[in-house]
Amino acid sequence: MLRVAVVGSGPSGVYTAQALLNQSLVPDVRVHVLDRLPTPYGLVRYGVAPDHEKIKSLQNSLRAVLEDERVTFVGHVQVGGADGVPPARLAELYHAVVYCVGAAADRPLAVPGEDLPGSFSATRFVSWYSAHPDIAPDDFALQARSAVVIGVGNVAVDVARILARGADELRATDVPRAALGALAGSRVREVLIAGRRGPSQARFTTKELRELGALPGARIVVDPADLALDPAYAAPDGLPLPAVVRRNLDVLRGWAAGGECAGAVRGEPAGPVPGELAGAVPGESGVADLVRRIRLRFFLRPVELLERGGRVAGVRFARTAPDGAGGVRDTGAYEDVEAQLVLRAVGYRGVELPGLPFDPVRGTVPHAAGRVLRDGVPSPGAYVAGWIKRGPTGVIGSNRSCAKETVASLIEDAPLLALRPAADDPVAVLRAWGQQPVTWDGWLSIERAEAALGRSLGRGPVKIPDWQGLLAAARDEEG
């Protein structure tokens, strides 16, 4: 029997377990899927927007793998860190360990004022409305009038959409109670999505983009002048462009032709914060309060977060323009935009796991076809898959081929791996080492508790947002 631990129960981890079950060269495989959280599914549970029901339904296929009799879910087990099991000790329990720990950190803007109150990573905002237990339920009060989302990928579009969507529309989802209440009381009336490059280089999908235009009570504003700067925007039909880029440009072209133009403060930066930033309150006329406005802007590079009263009051952008070589250059002009809430959505980054080698430049674990490399040499029994292997790229489905490559390497090494010692009952050893694992039965108990919470609120299942509540629900089943 080959015993394999997979660290991480998100898509990359579950697809790795699935690939191990589906291979035929080593028929007798047992897989333990470990996770720091007492809940499975990783970013599918805590990263996919609550109103994306089709994507969230992916949990059903992940569930089928985790319920296979050859797989054991072992939640609430910390690997690495001061209170965790070091990778070297974990390797004593299994013939092989595959690390599928993702990219847990967000990329900073690295501009002055980024640490001001009111400035957050989009990752934190997503975790908040997704009820991640590491984020306090009351983390966002949403008393801002204007919000700026920096980035033009799907995460940026997701957070802008949640800010603009009415709480009544989210009541049917699993958004936690505190977040739903905060969204219901939100004063945000304007959301700016800003990117430093042009629309043809934006990373959002057309489906995500179109969803903005389908929001009830939201007005989409696109500045035709921004679009005109992009050489691909006015390109003839024969110019080869990726299909998604052409579709995105068509959507933006329609919005620019049929809607209001964005009105931003233009010019060189001066000492005082200009007009709109100095105290005007959008939406106080009454009529505008009925509508949330979403502006999409391009060729804006954030250079500073502006402060007033000890909090974020706006963002100073440098205007950019195409440089003729696929990048952008600063034009020397600046724009100041009001914002009491700033969310950066400029990418993820892998975090070093003590005990494993790490490439700080790429934010990944060095590997060869999934085999962990130490000083260029494969480390016996240690493997990686997912974002910690290849970086935060691709869509959820990209993890399938990534996992298959890693498992192919592992199975090729299986004859030697089987000679290594492995524990008969790794979970018992983990308990002896001070961990308090949550089993699959514990997770099912959490599911029942969330369903009961939803019924008490007149809703469907509602997520439990805190560690104490999750562990209490899990222990109800496990005794």
Side-chain angles (χ1 to χ4, degrees):
M1 179 187 296
L2 189 69
R3 293 189 180 276
V4 180
V6 175
V7 181
S9 67
S12 63
V14 177
Y15 289 151
T16 296
Q18 185 178 50
L20 284 163
L21 301 183
N22 289 345
Q23 58 77 35
S24 57
L25 295 178
V26 181
D28 194 7
V29 177
R30 295 295 181 271
V31 184
H32 283 188
V33 178
L34 280 59
D35 203 291
R36 181 178 71 88
L37 298 171
T39 57
Y41 310 137
L43 280 178
V44 176
R45 176 175 167 91
Y46 290 118
V48 174
D51 56 346
H52 277 174
E53 296 180 5
K54 184 175 181 179
I55 302 176
K56 288 180 74 67
S57 69
L58 177 62
Q59 291 184 14
N60 295 329
S61 60
L62 301 181
R63 184 189 196 98
V65 176
L66 293 173
E67 287 185 330
D68 189 285
E69 62 181 6
R70 295 165 291 175
V71 175
T72 300
F73 173 70
V74 189
H76 195 221
V77 170
Q78 176 71 43
V79 177
D83 300 321
V85 179
R89 294 202 76 185
L90 189 64
E92 298 171 9
L93 306 183
Y94 300 93
H95 295 111
V97 179
V98 186
Y99 293 91
C100 305
V101 293
D106 61 276
R107 292 186 181 275
L109 296 174
V111 299
E114 184 172 12
D115 296 327
L116 284 168
S119 168
F120 302 91
S121 70
T123 306
R124 188 176 188 89
F125 186 64
V126 170
S127 295
W128 169 73
Y129 65 63
S130 299
H132 196 293
D134 285 347
I135 307 299
D138 60 353
D139 216 39
F140 289 87
L142 299 183
Q143 295 305 298
R145 303 180 302 274
S146 299
V148 168
V149 181
I150 299 172
V152 283
N154 281 346
V155 173
V157 174
D158 273 349
V159 298
R161 190 180 67 255
I162 295 299
L163 282 170
R165 190 181 282 283
D168 285 344
E169 301 170 62
L170 294 171
R171 197 172 303 279
T173 72
D174 59 6
V175 168
R177 182 168 35 177
L180 189 66
L183 289 165
S186 171
R187 296 183 63 203
V188 174
R189 290 296 175 266
E190 179 156 301
V191 181
L192 169 67
I193 304 173
R196 67 182 179 88
R197 298 197 292 178
S200 67
Q201 296 166 311
R203 304 298 296 272
F204 38 65
T205 61
T206 309
K207 178 180 181 296
E208 292 265 1
L209 189 61
R210 284 175 174 155
E211 286 177 345
L212 289 179
L215 290 174
R219 179 185 300 142
I220 310 300
V221 181
V222 178
D223 188 343
D226 275 359
L227 303 185
L229 283 174
D230 193 324
Y233 179 70
D237 291 340
L239 184 71
L241 289 174
V244 65
V245 172
R246 194 172 294 280
R247 290 194 298 266
N248 286 347
L249 292 177
D250 285 344
V251 172
L252 294 169
R253 185 179 289 111
W255 287 342
E260 164 191 359
C261 288
V265 179
R266 287 183 164 82
E268 295 289 338
V273 177
E276 183 184 18
L277 201 59
V281 181
E284 287 194 344
S285 62
V287 176
D289 280 344
L290 300 177
V291 178
R292 287 188 171 94
R293 186 168 66 161
I294 302 174
R295 293 191 294 158
L296 282 88
R297 297 291 312 279
F298 302 94
F299 299 109
L300 292 176
R301 182 176 67 85
V303 294
E304 183 181 0
L305 271 58
L306 305 173
E307 179 268 340
R308 186 173 63 238
R311 293 185 56 83
V312 163
V315 182
R316 177 159 292 162
F317 290 101
R319 287 290 288 161
T320 64
D323 64 3
V328 293
R329 57 176 177 79
D330 285 352
T331 65
Y334 295 83
E335 297 186 13
D336 290 345
V337 175
E338 176 189 9
Q340 299 83 37
L341 173 65
V342 177
L343 300 172
R344 62 181 181 273
V346 292
Y348 296 94
R349 182 172 178 79
V351 177
E352 181 176 6
L353 186 66
L356 286 183
F358 187 72
D359 181 345
V361 176
R362 294 175 52 86
T364 57
V365 171
H367 72 93
R371 296 180 177 92
V372 172
L373 298 178
R374 295 181 185 275
D375 298 322
V377 178
S379 182
Y383 302 85
V384 285
W387 280 1
I388 197 65
K389 170 187 173 184
R390 67 181 192 275
T393 61
V395 295
I396 289 175
S398 306
N399 291 296
R400 285 187 182 275
S401 56
C402 178
K404 287 179 180 179
E405 180 190 55
T406 295
V407 168
S409 296
L410 191 157
I411 295 303
E412 184 179 328
D413 299 342
L416 291 177
L417 296 176
L419 300 177
R420 295 160 52 92
D424 292 332
D425 188 352
V427 177
V429 178
L430 289 170
R431 286 196 176 98
W433 287 350
Q435 299 295 307
Q436 298 178 328
V438 168
T439 66
W440 188 252
D441 284 342
W443 158 241
L444 296 180
S445 183
I446 291 173
E447 279 194 318
R448 288 191 292 272
E450 293 183 337
L453 174 60
R455 285 194 299 272
S456 73
L457 299 172
R459 300 170 57 192
V462 172
K463 286 179 182 173
I464 297 171
D466 60 283
W467 278 99
Q468 182 178 357
L470 288 170
L471 294 177
R475 303 306 179 204
D476 282 348
E477 175 66 25
E478 297 186 339

